[in-house]
Amino acid sequence: MTVVDFHARLAPGDGEPGRLLAMMDQAGIDRAAVCAGGLLPLERLAEQLNDGGRTETAADNEGVREACERSGGRLLPFFFADPVRDVEAYGKRAFDFRGLEISPAVHGGRLDDERVAELVAVAGSAGHPVYVVTVAHPGGRPADLVRLAARFPRVTFVWGHCGHTGLDIAGLNALEGSHNVLAELSGSLTVTARLAVARLGAARVLFGTEYPLQQPEVELCKIDALGLDPAARAAVLGANACRVLSEEM
């Protein structure tokens, strides 16, 4: 069975991608979609999740791309875009990456900002999925993701962490009818993950780890706890990711 981690991060430093690849080997993960990490301290991120705000620190997208090149095809780079300043940069470099991440939690802003729409339009042209972590602030909520996904029905969106609380059942309900939105499970509670599979169907659910903030084995144990049948388990653990990323199984 192919196992694909749809959401890991690479923080700046000489130890990567070696640490991530070693962790993947230990956990039995074949490939991972990775995005830049380490843009702001965890205390600051927690504050922004609660109170809003943005970081001015630029994501090391080029560093992520270079690390992925050294991985023998196991790591797939995502471009972490700040809508305020990265529209042009992503437009120029999109085909060097495999997906796009937009995070109101990190960069603030709203999903109805036209600069976000410009980023998504580029993603659509490049065939990229768009990973979005929603928040509780106006403009960044699951309902706002629903409206954005409706504007771009041919783009695949991924709802990161099934919301930012681990128990965003209301968000899951809001997104159920948006068939171009998939749910990624890292950081969510088991009950939320189980409801995601039940309400969206296994074909719309993705395994992720949120490495390095979470041990991959913890997220794999959560998949085990769901009690999925073999076909659904294979879909969630890797087949869906391969489909979304146009990867061979």
Side-chain angles (χ1 to χ4, degrees), residues 5-10 16 19-24 26-27 29 32 42 45 131 161 165-166 184-190 193 207-223:
D5 176 359
F6 202 86
H7 186 64
R9 294 198 182 278
L10 286 179
E16 297 293 9
R19 282 195 299 265
L20 172 56
L21 290 169
M23 190 74 73
M24 290 166 60
Q26 181 178 326
I29 296 171
L42 290 179
L45 177 59
Y131 185 95
H161 314 310
T165 68
E184 184 269 320
L185 299 180
S186 65
S188 66
L189 296 177
T190 306
F207 164 72
T209 68
E210 182 65 316
Y211 169 92
L213 299 185
Q214 178 77 298
Q215 288 294 117
E217 290 87 352
V218 173
E219 294 297 331
L220 287 165
C221 284
K222 182 166 67 183
I223 300 299

Short mmCIF file of all heavy atoms in Angstrom, two decimals, residues 5-10 16 19-24 26-27 29 32 42 45 131 161 165-166 184-190 193 207-223:
data_model
loop_
_atom_site.label_atom_id
_atom_site.label_comp_id
_atom_site.label_asym_id
_atom_site.label_seq_id
_atom_site.Cartn_x
_atom_site.Cartn_y
_atom_site.Cartn_z
N ASP A 5 1.99 11.27 2.82
CA ASP A 5 1.71 12.33 3.78
C ASP A 5 1.39 13.59 3.00
O ASP A 5 2.26 14.15 2.33
CB ASP A 5 2.94 12.52 4.67
CG ASP A 5 2.81 13.66 5.66
OD1 ASP A 5 1.78 14.35 5.66
OD2 ASP A 5 3.77 13.88 6.42
N PHE A 6 0.15 14.07 3.08
CA PHE A 6 -0.23 15.23 2.26
C PHE A 6 0.16 16.55 2.91
O PHE A 6 0.04 17.59 2.27
CB PHE A 6 -1.75 15.23 1.99
CG PHE A 6 -2.11 16.03 0.78
CD1 PHE A 6 -2.08 15.46 -0.48
CD2 PHE A 6 -2.48 17.37 0.88
CE1 PHE A 6 -2.38 16.21 -1.61
CE2 PHE A 6 -2.80 18.12 -0.24
CZ PHE A 6 -2.74 17.54 -1.50
N HIS A 7 0.65 16.54 4.15
CA HIS A 7 1.01 17.82 4.75
C HIS A 7 2.13 17.69 5.77
O HIS A 7 1.90 17.32 6.92
CB HIS A 7 -0.21 18.46 5.42
CG HIS A 7 0.07 19.84 5.93
ND1 HIS A 7 0.39 20.88 5.08
CD2 HIS A 7 0.12 20.35 7.17
CE1 HIS A 7 0.59 21.98 5.79
NE2 HIS A 7 0.45 21.68 7.08
N ALA A 8 3.33 17.99 5.32
CA ALA A 8 4.49 18.10 6.20
C ALA A 8 5.17 19.43 5.90
O ALA A 8 4.92 20.05 4.87
CB ALA A 8 5.46 16.94 5.96
N ARG A 9 6.01 19.86 6.84
CA ARG A 9 6.71 21.13 6.65
C ARG A 9 8.22 20.93 6.79
O ARG A 9 8.68 20.06 7.52
CB ARG A 9 6.24 22.16 7.69
CG ARG A 9 4.79 22.57 7.51
CD ARG A 9 4.48 23.87 8.25
NE ARG A 9 3.09 24.23 8.13
CZ ARG A 9 2.56 24.86 7.08
NH1 ARG A 9 3.33 25.21 6.06
NH2 ARG A 9 1.27 25.15 7.06
N LEU A 10 8.94 21.78 6.07
CA LEU A 10 10.40 21.82 6.18
C LEU A 10 10.79 23.17 6.74
O LEU A 10 10.56 24.20 6.10
CB LEU A 10 11.05 21.61 4.81
CG LEU A 10 11.03 20.19 4.24
CD1 LEU A 10 11.69 20.18 2.87
CD2 LEU A 10 11.72 19.21 5.16
N GLU A 16 17.57 19.18 7.24
CA GLU A 16 16.54 18.74 6.31
C GLU A 16 17.08 18.74 4.88
O GLU A 16 17.96 19.53 4.54
CB GLU A 16 15.32 19.69 6.39
CG GLU A 16 14.63 19.72 7.73
CD GLU A 16 13.94 18.41 8.11
OE1 GLU A 16 14.13 17.40 7.41
OE2 GLU A 16 13.22 18.40 9.11
N ARG A 19 16.20 14.66 8.11
CA ARG A 19 15.39 14.27 9.28
C ARG A 19 14.02 13.80 8.85
O ARG A 19 13.49 12.81 9.38
CB ARG A 19 15.30 15.43 10.26
CG ARG A 19 16.53 15.65 11.11
CD ARG A 19 16.23 16.56 12.29
NE ARG A 19 15.78 17.88 11.86
CZ ARG A 19 16.58 18.94 11.73
NH1 ARG A 19 17.87 18.83 12.00
NH2 ARG A 19 16.10 20.10 11.36
N LEU A 20 13.40 14.54 7.94
CA LEU A 20 12.06 14.15 7.48
C LEU A 20 12.10 12.80 6.78
O LEU A 20 11.26 11.92 7.04
CB LEU A 20 11.48 15.22 6.55
CG LEU A 20 10.17 14.85 5.84
CD1 LEU A 20 9.09 14.46 6.83
CD2 LEU A 20 9.70 16.01 4.97
N LEU A 21 13.06 12.58 5.92
CA LEU A 21 13.14 11.31 5.20
C LEU A 21 13.37 10.15 6.17
O LEU A 21 12.79 9.07 5.99
CB LEU A 21 14.25 11.37 4.16
CG LEU A 21 13.96 12.30 2.96
CD1 LEU A 21 15.22 12.49 2.13
CD2 LEU A 21 12.82 11.75 2.10
N ALA A 22 14.19 10.37 7.18
CA ALA A 22 14.42 9.32 8.18
C ALA A 22 13.14 9.02 8.95
O ALA A 22 12.83 7.85 9.24
CB ALA A 22 15.53 9.74 9.14
N MET A 23 12.38 10.06 9.30
CA MET A 23 11.12 9.86 10.00
C MET A 23 10.12 9.12 9.11
O MET A 23 9.39 8.24 9.59
CB MET A 23 10.54 11.22 10.41
CG MET A 23 9.35 11.14 11.34
SD MET A 23 9.79 10.67 13.02
CE MET A 23 10.59 12.17 13.58
N MET A 24 10.10 9.44 7.83
CA MET A 24 9.22 8.74 6.90
C MET A 24 9.59 7.26 6.81
O MET A 24 8.70 6.40 6.81
CB MET A 24 9.29 9.40 5.52
CG MET A 24 8.64 10.77 5.46
SD MET A 24 9.09 11.71 3.97
CE MET A 24 8.47 10.63 2.66
N GLN A 26 11.02 5.46 9.08
CA GLN A 26 10.65 4.83 10.35
C GLN A 26 9.15 4.54 10.42
O GLN A 26 8.73 3.51 10.97
CB GLN A 26 11.06 5.74 11.50
CG GLN A 26 10.74 5.21 12.89
CD GLN A 26 11.24 6.16 13.97
OE1 GLN A 26 12.25 6.82 13.83
NE2 GLN A 26 10.49 6.23 15.06
N ALA A 27 8.35 5.45 9.86
CA ALA A 27 6.89 5.32 9.94
C ALA A 27 6.29 4.55 8.77
O ALA A 27 5.10 4.22 8.81
CB ALA A 27 6.26 6.71 10.01
N ILE A 29 6.24 5.72 5.49
CA ILE A 29 5.62 6.69 4.58
C ILE A 29 6.47 6.79 3.33
O ILE A 29 7.68 7.01 3.40
CB ILE A 29 5.48 8.07 5.26
CG1 ILE A 29 4.52 7.96 6.46
CG2 ILE A 29 4.99 9.12 4.28
CD1 ILE A 29 4.47 9.20 7.33
N ALA A 32 5.83 12.50 0.57
CA ALA A 32 5.20 13.56 1.35
C ALA A 32 5.14 14.84 0.54
O ALA A 32 6.10 15.19 -0.15
CB ALA A 32 5.95 13.81 2.66
N LEU A 42 5.88 29.40 17.62
CA LEU A 42 4.61 28.75 17.92
C LEU A 42 3.73 29.63 18.80
O LEU A 42 2.49 29.65 18.63
CB LEU A 42 4.84 27.41 18.60
CG LEU A 42 5.43 26.30 17.71
CD1 LEU A 42 5.63 25.03 18.52
CD2 LEU A 42 4.54 26.04 16.51
N LEU A 45 2.09 32.08 16.52
CA LEU A 45 1.07 31.41 15.71
C LEU A 45 -0.19 31.17 16.52
O LEU A 45 -1.31 31.41 16.04
CB LEU A 45 1.61 30.08 15.17
CG LEU A 45 0.63 29.23 14.36
CD1 LEU A 45 0.11 29.98 13.15
CD2 LEU A 45 1.29 27.92 13.94
N TYR A 131 -4.09 24.03 -0.77
CA TYR A 131 -4.23 23.65 0.63
C TYR A 131 -4.53 24.91 1.43
O TYR A 131 -3.78 25.89 1.38
CB TYR A 131 -2.93 23.00 1.11
CG TYR A 131 -2.96 22.44 2.51
CD1 TYR A 131 -3.25 21.10 2.73
CD2 TYR A 131 -2.67 23.24 3.61
CE1 TYR A 131 -3.25 20.57 4.02
CE2 TYR A 131 -2.68 22.72 4.90
CZ TYR A 131 -2.97 21.39 5.10
OH TYR A 131 -2.98 20.87 6.36
N HIS A 161 -6.17 20.16 8.18
CA HIS A 161 -6.42 19.78 9.58
C HIS A 161 -7.90 19.62 9.92
O HIS A 161 -8.24 19.57 11.10
CB HIS A 161 -5.81 20.79 10.54
CG HIS A 161 -4.40 21.18 10.21
ND1 HIS A 161 -3.43 20.26 9.96
CD2 HIS A 161 -3.82 22.41 10.09
CE1 HIS A 161 -2.28 20.89 9.70
NE2 HIS A 161 -2.50 22.18 9.77
N THR A 165 -9.39 23.66 15.01
CA THR A 165 -9.67 23.32 16.41
C THR A 165 -9.56 21.83 16.70
O THR A 165 -9.53 21.44 17.87
CB THR A 165 -11.10 23.75 16.80
OG1 THR A 165 -12.05 22.94 16.08
CG2 THR A 165 -11.33 25.22 16.50
N GLY A 166 -9.53 21.00 15.68
CA GLY A 166 -9.56 19.55 15.88
C GLY A 166 -10.97 18.99 15.98
O GLY A 166 -11.18 17.79 15.86
N GLU A 184 -8.10 17.15 4.94
CA GLU A 184 -6.83 16.56 5.39
C GLU A 184 -6.88 16.44 6.90
O GLU A 184 -7.31 17.35 7.59
CB GLU A 184 -5.67 17.45 4.91
CG GLU A 184 -4.29 16.91 5.23
CD GLU A 184 -3.78 17.40 6.58
OE1 GLU A 184 -3.99 18.58 6.92
OE2 GLU A 184 -3.18 16.58 7.30
N LEU A 185 -6.44 15.31 7.44
CA LEU A 185 -6.78 14.93 8.80
C LEU A 185 -5.78 15.30 9.88
O LEU A 185 -6.10 15.16 11.08
CB LEU A 185 -6.99 13.41 8.87
CG LEU A 185 -8.10 12.82 8.00
CD1 LEU A 185 -8.16 11.31 8.20
CD2 LEU A 185 -9.44 13.45 8.33
N SER A 186 -4.59 15.76 9.56
CA SER A 186 -3.59 15.95 10.61
C SER A 186 -4.07 16.93 11.67
O SER A 186 -4.61 17.98 11.38
CB SER A 186 -2.26 16.45 10.01
OG SER A 186 -2.39 17.73 9.45
N GLY A 187 -3.89 16.55 12.92
CA GLY A 187 -4.27 17.40 14.04
C GLY A 187 -5.71 17.32 14.46
O GLY A 187 -6.08 17.84 15.51
N SER A 188 -6.55 16.67 13.68
CA SER A 188 -7.97 16.57 14.04
C SER A 188 -8.18 15.44 15.04
O SER A 188 -7.38 14.50 15.13
CB SER A 188 -8.82 16.32 12.80
OG SER A 188 -8.54 15.06 12.23
N LEU A 189 -9.27 15.52 15.80
CA LEU A 189 -9.63 14.43 16.70
C LEU A 189 -10.13 13.22 15.90
O LEU A 189 -10.60 13.36 14.77
CB LEU A 189 -10.72 14.89 17.66
CG LEU A 189 -10.34 16.01 18.64
CD1 LEU A 189 -11.54 16.39 19.48
CD2 LEU A 189 -9.17 15.60 19.51
N THR A 190 -10.05 12.06 16.52
CA THR A 190 -10.53 10.85 15.86
C THR A 190 -11.99 10.96 15.48
O THR A 190 -12.39 10.53 14.39
CB THR A 190 -10.32 9.63 16.78
OG1 THR A 190 -8.96 9.57 17.17
CG2 THR A 190 -10.69 8.35 16.05
N ALA A 193 -12.20 12.97 12.32
CA ALA A 193 -11.72 12.20 11.18
C ALA A 193 -12.74 11.16 10.74
O ALA A 193 -12.99 10.97 9.54
CB ALA A 193 -10.39 11.52 11.54
N PHE A 207 -4.70 11.61 4.33
CA PHE A 207 -3.80 11.45 5.47
C PHE A 207 -2.72 12.54 5.44
O PHE A 207 -2.17 12.86 4.39
CB PHE A 207 -3.16 10.08 5.41
CG PHE A 207 -1.94 9.91 6.28
CD1 PHE A 207 -2.07 9.84 7.65
CD2 PHE A 207 -0.67 9.81 5.71
CE1 PHE A 207 -0.94 9.68 8.47
CE2 PHE A 207 0.45 9.64 6.52
CZ PHE A 207 0.32 9.58 7.89
N GLY A 208 -2.42 13.11 6.60
CA GLY A 208 -1.31 14.06 6.72
C GLY A 208 -0.74 13.96 8.12
O GLY A 208 -1.37 13.42 9.03
N THR A 209 0.47 14.51 8.31
CA THR A 209 1.12 14.38 9.61
C THR A 209 1.34 15.71 10.34
O THR A 209 1.44 15.73 11.56
CB THR A 209 2.49 13.70 9.49
OG1 THR A 209 3.40 14.55 8.78
CG2 THR A 209 2.36 12.35 8.79
N GLU A 210 1.51 16.81 9.62
CA GLU A 210 1.92 18.08 10.21
C GLU A 210 3.30 17.97 10.86
O GLU A 210 3.61 18.60 11.86
CB GLU A 210 0.87 18.61 11.20
CG GLU A 210 1.16 19.96 11.84
CD GLU A 210 1.18 21.14 10.89
OE1 GLU A 210 1.76 21.02 9.80
OE2 GLU A 210 0.63 22.19 11.22
N TYR A 211 4.16 17.10 10.28
CA TYR A 211 5.56 17.06 10.68
C TYR A 211 6.16 18.46 10.53
O TYR A 211 5.84 19.15 9.57
CB TYR A 211 6.33 16.07 9.80
CG TYR A 211 7.84 16.15 9.96
CD1 TYR A 211 8.50 15.35 10.87
CD2 TYR A 211 8.59 17.05 9.19
CE1 TYR A 211 9.88 15.45 11.02
CE2 TYR A 211 9.97 17.15 9.35
CZ TYR A 211 10.60 16.35 10.25
OH TYR A 211 11.96 16.43 10.42
N PRO A 212 7.00 18.95 11.44
CA PRO A 212 7.57 18.29 12.61
C PRO A 212 6.79 18.52 13.91
O PRO A 212 7.26 18.11 14.97
CB PRO A 212 8.95 18.94 12.71
CG PRO A 212 8.71 20.35 12.26
CD PRO A 212 7.67 20.24 11.17
N LEU A 213 5.62 19.16 13.84
CA LEU A 213 4.86 19.43 15.06
C LEU A 213 4.17 18.19 15.61
O LEU A 213 3.82 18.15 16.79
CB LEU A 213 3.81 20.52 14.81
CG LEU A 213 4.34 21.88 14.36
CD1 LEU A 213 3.19 22.88 14.26
CD2 LEU A 213 5.42 22.40 15.31
N GLN A 214 3.99 17.19 14.77
CA GLN A 214 3.32 15.96 15.18
C GLN A 214 4.16 14.76 14.77
O GLN A 214 4.77 14.77 13.68
CB GLN A 214 1.93 15.87 14.53
CG GLN A 214 1.14 14.62 14.84
CD GLN A 214 0.53 14.65 16.22
OE1 GLN A 214 1.25 14.72 17.21
NE2 GLN A 214 -0.80 14.60 16.29
N GLN A 215 4.20 13.76 15.61
CA GLN A 215 4.88 12.51 15.25
C GLN A 215 4.03 11.77 14.20
O GLN A 215 2.83 11.56 14.42
CB GLN A 215 5.06 11.62 16.47
CG GLN A 215 6.10 12.12 17.45
CD GLN A 215 7.50 12.08 16.86
OE1 GLN A 215 8.12 13.13 16.72
NE2 GLN A 215 7.98 10.90 16.52
N PRO A 216 4.61 11.38 13.07
CA PRO A 216 3.84 10.67 12.06
C PRO A 216 3.12 9.44 12.58
O PRO A 216 1.99 9.13 12.17
CB PRO A 216 4.90 10.31 11.01
CG PRO A 216 5.92 11.38 11.14
CD PRO A 216 5.98 11.67 12.61
N GLU A 217 3.75 8.71 13.52
CA GLU A 217 3.12 7.50 14.04
C GLU A 217 1.80 7.79 14.75
O GLU A 217 0.88 6.96 14.75
CB GLU A 217 4.07 6.79 15.01
CG GLU A 217 5.28 6.17 14.34
CD GLU A 217 6.44 7.15 14.19
OE1 GLU A 217 6.24 8.36 14.47
OE2 GLU A 217 7.53 6.71 13.80
N VAL A 218 1.68 8.98 15.34
CA VAL A 218 0.42 9.35 16.00
C VAL A 218 -0.71 9.44 14.98
O VAL A 218 -1.82 8.95 15.20
CB VAL A 218 0.59 10.68 16.77
CG1 VAL A 218 -0.76 11.16 17.32
CG2 VAL A 218 1.60 10.54 17.89
N GLU A 219 -0.42 10.09 13.85
CA GLU A 219 -1.45 10.22 12.82
C GLU A 219 -1.76 8.89 12.17
O GLU A 219 -2.92 8.63 11.79
CB GLU A 219 -1.00 11.25 11.77
CG GLU A 219 -0.88 12.67 12.31
CD GLU A 219 -2.21 13.24 12.78
OE1 GLU A 219 -3.26 12.84 12.25
OE2 GLU A 219 -2.19 14.10 13.70
N LEU A 220 -0.77 8.01 12.03
CA LEU A 220 -1.04 6.67 11.49
C LEU A 220 -1.90 5.86 12.46
O LEU A 220 -2.79 5.12 12.02
CB LEU A 220 0.28 5.96 11.21
CG LEU A 220 1.04 6.47 9.99
CD1 LEU A 220 2.48 5.96 10.00
CD2 LEU A 220 0.34 6.06 8.70
N CYS A 221 -1.66 6.02 13.76
CA CYS A 221 -2.51 5.35 14.75
C CYS A 221 -3.95 5.84 14.65
O CYS A 221 -4.90 5.06 14.84
CB CYS A 221 -1.97 5.58 16.15
SG CYS A 221 -0.53 4.58 16.56
N LYS A 222 -4.13 7.10 14.37
CA LYS A 222 -5.48 7.64 14.21
C LYS A 222 -6.19 6.99 13.02
O LYS A 222 -7.37 6.64 13.12
CB LYS A 222 -5.42 9.16 14.04
CG LYS A 222 -6.80 9.81 13.93
CD LYS A 222 -6.70 11.31 14.10
CE LYS A 222 -5.96 11.97 12.99
NZ LYS A 222 -5.80 13.44 13.21
N ILE A 223 -5.46 6.79 11.93
CA ILE A 223 -6.06 6.10 10.79
C ILE A 223 -6.44 4.68 11.18
O ILE A 223 -7.53 4.19 10.84
CB ILE A 223 -5.09 6.10 9.59
CG1 ILE A 223 -4.74 7.53 9.15
CG2 ILE A 223 -5.70 5.32 8.42
CD1 ILE A 223 -5.91 8.36 8.70
#
